[in-house]
């Protein structure tokens, strides 16, 4: 499902118990200096990640100051974030002139401890190549290194390297719990382009060998993926970014099932096996 950019007035874009991705939660909060925003999400653990700007965060007494710091856009520096336990009350205060803040969530019942992830604690991986048109960089904010501190939520930022090309290829899905071949993980994306008048396409193919759907994605598009194989591409001459939320049904580790007709290409893309391992 494609959600076109709109002014959400700091209200969830993907709310709890969403009909398409019930395991996900997503909000974009926009603040000016000194403004505050409070939230709590029963039944969902969340992660606060400034897209731009700097914020102070208070999670029921756990305080993290000066989170963020990126300037004009998501290419201007490294991400930071704060993990917010299930149903905990979080307060965000904008300390820069303005801030745009992502709030990512996954359904989870147990209450864990809040913690901050600073830019020097990110787990990064770069894979693909210009020749295979799959060159990209992933910045894991809540990645595998936090398995003992997070319930079901995975949060990452994905960047195409260079201008143009594909991401999420070879085509894969993760819509059914059938270990060890695959896990059920709902997934939500928010896209940005540089320059911001760029655009791309999100494919969604329900069955191998049969025609599927495609969505025209623009700067600010949100995509909710409930089932099917889902590569995406950016136009030549433009860079693409997408904020990625994964929520697991039965476990946090993601096991992708590669589309049978394209699975052999796992062997042709440099570094892709390392990328796959970073989600497990």
């Amino acid at each position: 499902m494609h959600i076109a950019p709109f002014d959400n007035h700091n209200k969830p874009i993907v709310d709890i118990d969403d009909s398409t991705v019930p395991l996900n939660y997503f909000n974009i909060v926009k603040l000016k200096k000194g403004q505050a925003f409070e939230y709590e999400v029963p039944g969902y653990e969340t992660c606060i990640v400034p897209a731009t700007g700097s914020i102070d965060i208070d999670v029921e007494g756990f305080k993290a100051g000066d989170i963020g710091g990126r300037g004009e856009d998501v290419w201007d520096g490294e991400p930071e974030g704060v993990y917010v336990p299930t149903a905990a009350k979080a307060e965000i205060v904008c300390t820069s002139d303005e801030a745009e803040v992502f709030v990512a969530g996954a359904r989870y019942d147990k209450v864990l401890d809040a913690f901050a992830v600073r830019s020097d604690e990110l787990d990064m991986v770069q894979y693909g190549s210009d020749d295979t048109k799959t060159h990209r960089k992933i910045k894991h904010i809540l990645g595998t290194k936090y398995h003992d501190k997070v319930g079901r939520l995975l949060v990452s930022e994905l960047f195409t390297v260079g201008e143009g090309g594909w991401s999420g290829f070879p085509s894969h899905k993760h819509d059914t719990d059938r270990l060890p071949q695959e896990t059920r993980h709902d997934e939500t994306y928010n896209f940005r382009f540089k320059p911001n008048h760029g655009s791309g396409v999100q494919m969604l193919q329900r069955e191998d060998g049969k025609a599927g759907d495609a969505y025209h994605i623009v700067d600010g598009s949100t995509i909710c993926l409930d089932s099917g194989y889902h590569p995406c591409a950016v136009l030549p001459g433009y860079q693409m970014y997408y904020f990625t939320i994964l929520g697991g049904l039965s476990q946090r580790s993601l096991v992708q099932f590669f589309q049978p007709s394209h699975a052999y290409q796992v062997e042709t893309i440099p570094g892709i096996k390392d990328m796959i391992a970073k989600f497990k």
Side-chain angles (χ1 to χ4, degrees), residues 91-125:
E91 182 186 54
I92 303 167
V93 178
C94 179
T95 57
S96 52
D97 289 340
E98 55 187 15
E100 180 182 17
V101 183
F102 296 139
V103 181
R107 184 183 284 171
Y108 190 62
D109 292 332
K110 296 180 181 179
V111 178
L112 304 175
D113 295 324
F115 64 92
V117 180
R118 296 293 183 173
S119 58
D120 60 354
E121 299 172 311
L122 301 172
D123 196 1
M124 300 194 189
V125 61

Side-chain angles (χ1 to χ4, degrees), residues 1-3 14 18 20-21 187-189 222-226:
M1 181 178 70
H2 176 234
I3 303 172
V14 178
D18 181 80
T20 302
V21 284
E187 189 164 30
T188 298
Y189 300 145
T222 298
I223 289 284
C224 299
L225 297 167
D226 58 338

Side-chain angles (χ1 to χ4, degrees), residues 15-79:
D15 210 343
I16 62 171
D17 300 324
D18 181 80
S19 59
T20 302
V21 284
L23 303 179
N24 290 169
Y25 174 89
F26 178 52
N27 195 4
I28 297 178
V29 177
K30 295 182 179 179
L31 302 171
K32 296 188 180 300
K33 191 168 188 175
Q35 289 183 330
F37 177 81
E38 289 186 355
Y39 79 90
E40 52 188 303
V41 189
Y44 290 72
E45 57 185 349
T46 58
C47 183
I48 301 169
V49 180
T52 56
S54 298
I55 56 176
D56 289 343
I57 300 172
D58 186 334
V59 183
E60 297 186 354
F62 171 84
K63 299 180 185 295
D66 198 29
I67 295 289
R70 290 190 288 203
E72 181 180 358
D73 56 33
V74 294
W75 284 268
D76 187 14
E78 304 297 349

Side-chain angles (χ1 to χ4, degrees), residues 73-195:
D73 56 33
V74 294
W75 284 268
D76 187 14
E78 304 297 349
E80 295 187 323
V82 168
Y83 173 80
V84 179
T86 300
K89 181 179 289 186
E91 182 186 54
I92 303 167
V93 178
C94 179
T95 57
S96 52
D97 289 340
E98 55 187 15
E100 180 182 17
V101 183
F102 296 139
V103 181
R107 184 183 284 171
Y108 190 62
D109 292 332
K110 296 180 181 179
V111 178
L112 304 175
D113 295 324
F115 64 92
V117 180
R118 296 293 183 173
S119 58
D120 60 354
E121 299 172 311
L122 301 172
D123 196 1
M124 300 194 189
V125 61
Q126 187 163 328
Y127 79 95
S129 66
D130 295 337
D131 289 342
T132 59
K133 300 177 178 59
T134 59
H135 208 173
R136 69 173 184 170
K137 180 183 294 183
I138 305 176
K139 301 177 181 181
H140 292 283
I141 301 162
L142 291 185
T144 56
K145 66 190 293 184
Y146 296 112
H147 271 337
D148 60 340
K149 301 180 73 172
V150 181
R152 297 283 186 269
L153 180 61
L154 291 158
V155 179
S156 305
E157 296 189 332
L158 291 83
F159 297 78
T160 57
V161 177
E163 297 176 338
W166 286 87
S167 191
F169 188 83
S171 307
H172 62 275
K173 72 182 187 75
H174 37 76
D175 55 32
T176 306
D177 255 355
R178 51 187 186 114
L179 288 167
Q181 293 92 351
E182 182 181 1
T183 55
R184 158 77 184 277
H185 276 72
D186 290 353
E187 189 164 30
T188 298
Y189 300 145
N190 186 263
F191 287 89
R192 303 297 162 97
F193 294 90
K194 187 176 183 177

